[in-house]
Amino acid sequence: MTPSSTGATIRALGIAGSLRQGSYNRALLRAARDLAPDDLEITVFDNEILKRVPPYNEDVRARGDPEPVKALKDGIGDADALVIATPEYNHSISGVLKNALDWASRPPDETPLHRIPVAIMGATTGTWGTVRAQMHLRQLCVDHDMLAINQPEVLVARAHEKFDEEGRLMHEVTRHFVGLLMEALLTWTRKVEEDASR
């Protein structure tokens, strides 16, 4: 995590757990970027790089991180906070997201995930709004000592009714809660940084 003084711009990296071109979760990250406070700058991690992150293999890691993994770790390490948008696959997070976190968490004494503030949200065409995936992701945050925000929750159900054909989030209630979550991330990240500097 890169320290920033109180009042300075907070830099967050957005990661979507979906590789689909028309992913609602990537669209949700774009909405978060648009709705974020002026002092919160969100960069969405390059989907083309995420596609090239190989399945985690300790033998491969022992020989040195592949370039896509280096880019992922560097992106996290350069950020003050994370915004993770997760789909829900089989009552859990996607393999893409789990794999990215597995790589970023190794080796444990060098991980950029340690004590990084995290905002979690998710979108699905189903009716549960990724609640089970988000609970699983929160368990992973505990294991990696990532500092996830508890409230507000952004659980976007029936996403196909809330985004337009260009992937813009049109549902006003959802937009409101995404904005609140980004405000909470800004406040939380500054508090974490202030506590760390004492």
Side-chain angles (χ1 to χ4, degrees), residues 118-136:
V118 185
I120 295 172
M121 54 188 181
T124 178
T125 55
T127 57
W128 286 84
T130 71
V131 62
R132 294 166 296 200
Q134 290 196 36
M135 289 302 294
H136 189 188

Side-chain angles (χ1 to χ4, degrees), residues 11-86:
R11 297 175 298 172
L13 181 68
I15 300 175
S18 174
L19 299 179
R20 189 172 66 86
Q21 185 174 357
S23 165
Y24 291 118
N25 285 284
R26 287 187 65 78
L28 191 58
L29 285 178
R30 292 193 297 271
R33 183 182 60 198
D34 294 343
L35 295 166
D38 290 342
D39 290 345
L40 177 61
E41 179 182 290
I42 300 173
T43 301
V44 179
F45 189 71
D46 190 332
N47 207 37
E48 293 304 313
I49 296 176
L50 192 60
K51 287 179 182 178
R52 294 190 287 109
V53 174
Y56 182 80
N57 182 328
E58 179 62 20
D59 292 338
V60 174
R61 191 204 65 78
R63 294 193 295 268
D65 288 339
E67 286 304 318
V69 173
K70 289 181 183 176
L72 175 65
K73 288 184 176 181
D74 287 347
I76 296 171
D78 289 341
D80 303 305
L82 292 179
V83 182
I84 301 178
T86 179

Side-chain angles (χ1 to χ4, degrees), residues 116-120 137-138 141 145-151 188:
I116 192 167
V118 185
I120 295 172
L137 180 54
R138 290 179 185 281
C141 287
D145 201 19
M146 299 159 68
L147 305 176
I149 296 171
N150 292 326
Q151 297 289 338
W188 178 228

